[in-house]
Amino acid sequence: MAKVGLKRQDDDSWCMALWPKILLVVAYLSLNISLNMVLKYTISIYGFKFPIALSMMHQIFSAVVLAPIMPVLADKEQHRATLQKSWPGLLAMAAFFSFNLGCNNLSLLTISLSLNQVIRACIPVAAALGSTILESKPPTRKELIALLVLVSGVGIAVFEGSGTRATLVGCTLCILGTISNGFMMASVGRLMSEKLDVWRLTFYTAPVAVLLLLPFFYLLEAKGLREYQQDESQQTLGYMWLVLLGCVNAVAYNVVHSLVIKLTSSVTTTVIGEAKIILILVLSSVWLGESGIW
């Protein structure tokens, strides 16, 4: 009887420990899907075709929202010590993060959200490569076979879905962003192993990401954004509310994303993220009318 009671107690403890992980994964998938839908709606449907500006707004919003809690998490000396120790990794993560955001959002100007997500199904491969290089954690033989099967399927889908020059440019940008995303996730995994919490990680990298995106914004979008704001036909208040919604979604996603990487690994997180692709394909077909390309 004592053994039965002990086993039941162990089962209950296992279930209690599992539920937070399930809820975290559900939150990660939900925030990922909603962020992609808001971005596509803002850029393609609402006409706010300034993806780099959107990325910068997301990062600025993250820094402003998280700034008040930074003194609570650590004092000035602790922040200084962390930055002195981890600045190469933080800089690398911000660079990969910025390049990923810029390329991914720019790709949405010339390819559909559906095709974008099919290409980004290769993120586990890029994450495995990044994990091997940055974390010294190469994939196992079984994981490697699964990743090769995944890449083959994605390659076939992209080949059948790309038929114009504009789409080729969009696919190239999306592939570059995908590779950068994988290395960014490996960077997060390495930084999280150094006992850096997700709040400080997001706060530290946000200003650096904005600075790295700034030259691209001035080169590609500054003039167009001024003209967009001066256009009387635009419902300014409407698009600003949509941008704010994207900012809130982005900061929540960034925090949850880092938590999932800490809980599992960079490669596992990308594999979990594959589940959201089917849902995004369905939602983009229903809400954005993209069913015709598949």
Side-chain angles (χ1 to χ4, degrees):
M1 291 295 292
K3 291 183 178 180
V4 173
L6 183 60
K7 182 179 180 182
R8 183 176 299 174
Q9 185 177 4
D10 291 340
D11 290 341
D12 292 341
S13 299
W14 182 82
C15 291
M16 290 296 292
L18 183 62
W19 269 109
K21 298 179 181 179
I22 294 176
L23 293 175
L24 186 62
V25 170
V26 170
Y28 165 65
L29 293 174
S30 300
L31 289 169
N32 192 312
I33 292 171
S34 60
L35 181 59
N36 276 279
M37 298 303 295
V38 170
L39 278 173
K40 184 62 179 179
Y41 192 88
T42 305
I43 292 173
S44 297
I45 308 300
Y46 216 89
F48 190 83
K49 297 185 177 182
F50 309 102
I52 297 176
L54 282 173
S55 300
M56 293 174 64
M57 292 177 190
H58 293 168
Q59 297 308 303
I60 293 172
F61 183 84
S62 298
V64 171
V65 169
L66 295 177
I69 68 172
M70 287 300 108
V72 178
L73 296 175
D75 58 35
K76 187 182 297 184
E77 292 301 322
Q78 289 175 316
H79 284 298
R80 182 182 293 110
T82 300
L83 290 173
Q84 288 177 345
K85 177 183 178 182
S86 304
W87 72 265
L90 292 169
L91 181 60
M93 178 196 161
F96 289 132
F97 182 77
S98 302
F99 193 71
N100 165 54
L101 278 176
C103 288
N104 181 63
N105 289 354
L106 283 171
S107 73
L108 291 174
L109 296 176
T110 54
I111 65 174
S112 68
L113 177 60
S114 303
L115 183 56
N116 172 280
Q117 289 301 301
V118 170
I119 295 173
R120 289 178 72 81
C122 285
I123 288 177
V125 180
L129 179 61
S131 180
T132 301
I133 296 174
L134 300 179
E135 299 182 90
S136 300
K137 296 180 180 179
T140 64
R141 184 177 180 181
K142 291 183 179 179
E143 290 174 339
L144 186 60
I145 294 174
L147 292 175
L148 290 175
V149 172
L150 177 64
V151 172
S152 300
V154 171
I156 293 172
V158 172
F159 178 78
E160 293 180 349
S162 58
T164 65
R165 180 177 177 82
T167 301
L168 180 60
V169 172
C171 286
T172 302
L173 287 168
C174 193
I175 290 170
L176 291 174
T178 298
I179 295 172
S180 185
N181 186 290
F183 276 79
M184 182 270 293
M185 296 187 73
S187 299
V188 173
R190 181 165 181 173
L191 288 168
M192 295 297 288
S193 67
E194 298 175 358
K195 298 182 179 181
L196 184 64
D197 61 79
V198 295
W199 307 103
R200 287 188 293 163
L201 179 64
T202 304
F203 179 76
Y204 291 157
T205 54
V208 181
V210 172
L211 291 176
L212 292 174
L213 288 171
L214 196 58
F216 298 100
F217 167 72
Y218 277 112
L219 180 65
L220 300 173
E221 296 182 358
K223 182 179 178 181
L225 181 57
R226 286 194 297 268
E227 293 175 353
Y228 181 89
Q229 292 174 327
Q230 293 171 359
D231 188 350
E232 295 180 358
S233 65
Q234 300 296 340
Q235 299 178 2
T236 304
L237 184 61
Y239 92 80
M240 286 304 298
W241 276 110
L242 197 58
V243 169
L244 180 60
L245 176 62
C247 289
V248 174
N249 197 324
V251 67
Y253 170 73
N254 290 337
V255 170
V256 172
H257 182 224
S258 297
L259 282 172
V260 174
I261 293 176
K262 182 177 181 179
L263 181 68
T264 57
S265 70
S266 57
V267 178
T268 302
T269 301
T270 58
V271 173
I272 294 173
E274 298 300 287
K276 66 119 175 16
I277 293 178
I278 297 176
L279 293 174
I280 287 182
L281 291 175
V282 173
L283 292 173
S284 62
S285 174
V286 174
W287 287 350
L288 305 177
E290 296 183 353
S291 58
I293 66 169
W294 300 108

